[in-house]
Amino acid sequence: MGDDGNAKSLKEFWIPDYILVPGAEVEIVSHIPACPVIVFVNAKSGGQLGGELLVTFSSLLNKNQVFDLGVKAPDKVLHQLYATLEKLKYGGDHVAAEIQKRLRIIVAGGDGTASWLLGVVSDLKLPRLPPIATVPLGTGNNLHFAFGWGKKNPATDRRSVTSFLNQVKDAKEMKIDSWHITMRMRAPKEGSCDPIAPLELPHAMHAFQRVSSTDKLNLEGYHTYRGGFWNYFSMGMDAQISYAFHSERKLHPEKFKNQLYNQSAYLKLGCKQGWFCASLFHPSSRNIAQLTKVKIMKKQGQWEDLHIPRSIRSIICLNLPSFSGGLNPWGKPDRKKSIYRDLTLPFVDDGLFEVVGFRDAWHGLALITPNGHGTRLAQACKIRFEFRKGAADCTFMRIDGEPWKQPLPQDDDTVVIEISHHGQVSMLATPLCRSKSTHDPSSPTVDKEEDSSDIESSENSEERRKFGAADTFRYPDSDDIQLS
């Protein structure tokens, strides 16, 4: 394709300045882009690749529709953009109305960055949430892989990025469940029980954020935190290794600029932390059953105890079929076997997540074999962890690639974590997408006695809309819009 062909093709992604720049003079635009995009790049991800991608996207598109996440927070960008689009739309601007309808978002970064953007978009109270495409720039890139965007760091030249943009234009929208997570504990008499994140990230919404004193979830005498996730919540040894990796990378960022080096460093830490061989020197190596009592709810049922085998040292609540670099811990249960009779494939929009356990890393290596899987524990729409008094001084947790060390009080049983359904967001999927939808005719059928995707308690429903990534953006009412 020549330069003219490239220029013509790129017009389909272009957003004019008067929509992007506050106070800019309104332009007369004859062409409505088929796939207008807003691009967010974590310039620190992927070594120098993030910075290179930022430059390439800026050279191909209007530089004002490309944002460095280290400079501009996405909630502020989208707040301004949608306020402008709404104002122009109510003023009769047909181009603005169509751009709002067709808008797609691209985010370049690792799992944590992609989840951050999903959190911000989830906080937008819009009639139609813009779907998201991801560029893999992390170590695991699980979320990217689940929707067919690959897991290897991409090329950053103009031709490759142009090809990626065309993939975004052709990608199909796919709804996925999102999950609300709440943690409550009694306020300690001394010291702090706040979650400790290994990374000083302004967007670390995944390490729980403390709710405000006016939030209905807040209880006198307790600390309450909330967050959200799309891919997984995990607890135990896998999160401990991830925490050690992120901490090491924070101390020596110059060593972690190569994806292959990162993955080998991860493996070494797994050996060192005792993931391949249970260590008496690591209290958090103890099994999950010693740490916590687990209750689950299947569809709209009652709470029931979940039996956790004593050998399980890591537990994962999985929404997407991609974990630890694209592996599928759930696999494909054979419903002819009585043990799996009530289990289904891991659909991403059925209002259920899969609960999987691992004994150690050797158990995890089974995932690379045909039909390999972890210990299938349950499928549920809710799960509740009640920590045992004095079982450990801390444990390790991880949400969508971001780990933290969670202190546990020694003198009571009040630490409770609960995960429940939170609605849905839209992803963009390529033909290589591994995720399965209940609405996809090519997917095997699933028993849908009741629509579990609508599960959401009316209590605190307004507060539960907010994941903590950003101040909730209220969609402007027409009365609020000042027309100039």
Side-chain angles (χ1 to χ4, degrees):
M1 186 184 291
D3 289 343
D4 289 344
N6 264 329
K8 188 176 180 180
S9 169
L10 291 169
K11 280 176 66 178
E12 302 304 333
F13 308 100
W14 191 274
I15 299 178
D17 265 342
Y18 81 96
I19 287 172
L20 299 165
V21 181
E25 187 177 343
V26 175
E27 306 168 31
I28 298 175
V29 179
S30 57
H31 179 74
I32 298 175
C35 181
V37 295
I38 292 293
V39 183
F40 294 101
V41 181
N42 186 342
K44 294 180 179 179
S45 290
Q48 61 185 18
L49 294 180
E52 292 173 5
L53 267 182
L54 190 67
V55 171
T56 306
F57 271 118
S58 298
S59 69
L60 292 171
L61 304 170
N62 182 342
K63 67 179 188 301
N64 291 315
Q65 69 191 97
V66 182
F67 300 91
D68 180 349
L69 287 168
V71 177
K72 281 274 186 104
D75 54 309
K76 301 290 192 297
V77 170
L78 293 173
H79 183 286
Q80 178 64 58
L81 175 65
Y82 274 96
T84 301
L85 285 169
E86 199 66 12
K87 176 181 174 182
L88 291 167
K89 187 174 79 170
Y90 277 96
D93 189 319
H94 177 61
V95 174
E98 285 300 314
I99 285 177
Q100 185 183 43
K101 188 189 301 181
R102 303 177 187 186
L103 185 68
R104 297 187 162 196
I105 290 176
I106 295 170
V107 54
D111 286 313
T113 304
S115 294
W116 176 24
L117 257 295
L118 278 167
V120 171
V121 169
S122 183
D123 277 348
L124 297 176
K125 296 182 181 178
L126 303 172
R128 176 190 173 273
L129 296 178
I132 295 176
T134 57
V135 184
L137 283 180
T139 302
N141 299 321
N142 293 294
L143 197 146
H144 316 64
F145 189 61
F147 294 95
W149 298 105
K151 54 184 175 181
K152 292 184 178 177
N153 291 164
T156 60
D157 59 278
R158 288 174 63 92
R159 173 178 282 187
S160 298
V161 174
T162 301
S163 174
F164 174 81
L165 285 168
N166 284 316
Q167 277 186 290
V168 171
K169 185 175 69 173
D170 296 335
K172 68 173 183 178
E173 286 193 44
M174 193 171 186
K175 294 286 187 184
I176 67 167
D177 293 320
S178 51
W179 297 94
H180 185 261
I181 182 163
T182 306
M183 177 167 65
R184 180 171 287 138
M185 63 179 70
R186 191 177 296 281
K189 295 171 184 172
E190 56 184 41
S192 170
C193 276
D194 283 3
I196 303 169
L199 303 177
E200 294 170 359
L201 294 174
H203 56 81
M205 57 159 281
H206 313 294
F208 298 93
Q209 296 293 296
R210 179 90 176 269
V211 301
S212 68
S213 57
T214 57
D215 195 306
K216 288 181 182 177
L217 285 176
N218 189 57
L219 279 183
E220 188 71 31
Y222 289 82
H223 288 175
T224 306
Y225 304 83
R226 67 143 50 91
F229 72 93
W230 290 265
N231 192 359
Y232 65 87
F233 165 82
S234 71
M235 179 172 62
M237 183 55 74
D238 76 292
Q240 180 177 345
I241 295 162
S242 179
Y243 180 85
F245 173 82
H246 280 268
S247 300
E248 188 73 18
R249 187 167 63 177
K250 182 184 174 184
L251 288 172
H252 305 286
E254 71 283 353
K255 294 181 180 179
F256 294 83
K257 293 188 176 181
N258 177 283
Q259 195 175 32
L260 194 59
Y261 175 87
N262 292 356
Q263 289 166 348
S264 65
Y266 215 99
L267 187 63
K268 289 176 184 175
L269 282 168
C271 297
K272 187 177 178 182
Q273 296 285 335
W275 187 215
F276 282 92
C277 181
S279 170
L280 297 174
F281 301 103
H282 290 284
S284 44
S285 293
R286 65 188 60 187
N287 61 58
I288 296 297
Q290 285 178 290
L291 279 178
T292 180
K293 182 179 181 181
V294 183
K295 293 177 179 288
I296 59 167
M297 185 182 293
K298 298 178 180 179
K299 293 194 175 181
Q300 285 286 55
Q302 301 294 317
W303 286 108
E304 56 186 81
D305 291 336
L306 178 64
H307 171 68
I308 308 291
R310 294 189 63 81
S311 58
I312 298 298
R313 292 197 294 145
S314 192
I315 191 169
I316 303 159
C317 299
L318 190 68
N319 190 39
L320 305 178
S322 183
F323 179 79
S324 192
L327 301 173
N328 181 2
W330 187 252
K332 298 178 180 179
D334 183 352
R335 298 185 75 178
K336 293 176 184 176
K337 296 182 179 180
S338 60
I339 191 174
Y340 297 141
R341 196 161 287 158
D342 64 341
L343 302 180
T344 73
L345 287 174
F347 295 101
V348 299
D349 55 356
D350 60 356
L352 298 171
F353 54 82
E354 286 65 46
V355 187
V356 189
F358 286 97
R359 297 186 298 273
D360 50 32
W362 297 113
H363 188 189
L365 290 176
L367 297 182
I368 64 177
T369 64
N371 302 319
H373 58 86
T375 299
R376 300 184 184 112
L377 298 172
Q379 284 175 304
C381 66
K382 288 186 178 182
I383 193 166
R384 181 181 175 94
F385 298 93
E386 300 173 352
F387 290 88
R388 302 184 188 281
K389 179 169 62 177
D393 59 354
C394 70
T395 188
F396 294 84
M397 300 178 184
R398 181 164 59 145
I399 299 182
D400 288 353
E402 292 198 42
W404 73 96
K405 181 180 180 180
Q406 178 58 53
L408 298 174
Q410 297 294 300
D411 55 355
D412 59 53
D413 287 318
T414 59
V415 181
V416 173
I417 289 179
E418 191 169 304
I419 296 171
S420 54
H421 196 257
H422 181 73
Q424 294 183 326
V425 290
S426 291
M427 291 295 294
L428 288 167
T430 77
L432 297 175
C433 175
R434 295 163 57 90
S435 299
K436 298 292 183 185
S437 166
T438 56
H439 303 290
D440 185 350
S442 65
S443 295
T445 55
V446 61
D447 180 17
K448 295 168 74 174
E449 293 175 357
E450 50 186 299
D451 184 4
S452 57
S453 66
D454 291 333
I455 296 168
E456 181 171 349
S457 167
S458 59
E459 183 186 2
N460 302 330
S461 60
E462 179 62 25
E463 286 76 12
R464 286 156 57 86
R465 284 186 60 90
K466 186 176 176 184
F467 268 35
D471 290 333
T472 300
F473 169 43
R474 183 170 62 85
Y475 191 61
D477 298 319
S478 56
D479 294 342
D480 295 339
I481 296 163
Q482 301 298 317
L483 300 177
S484 53

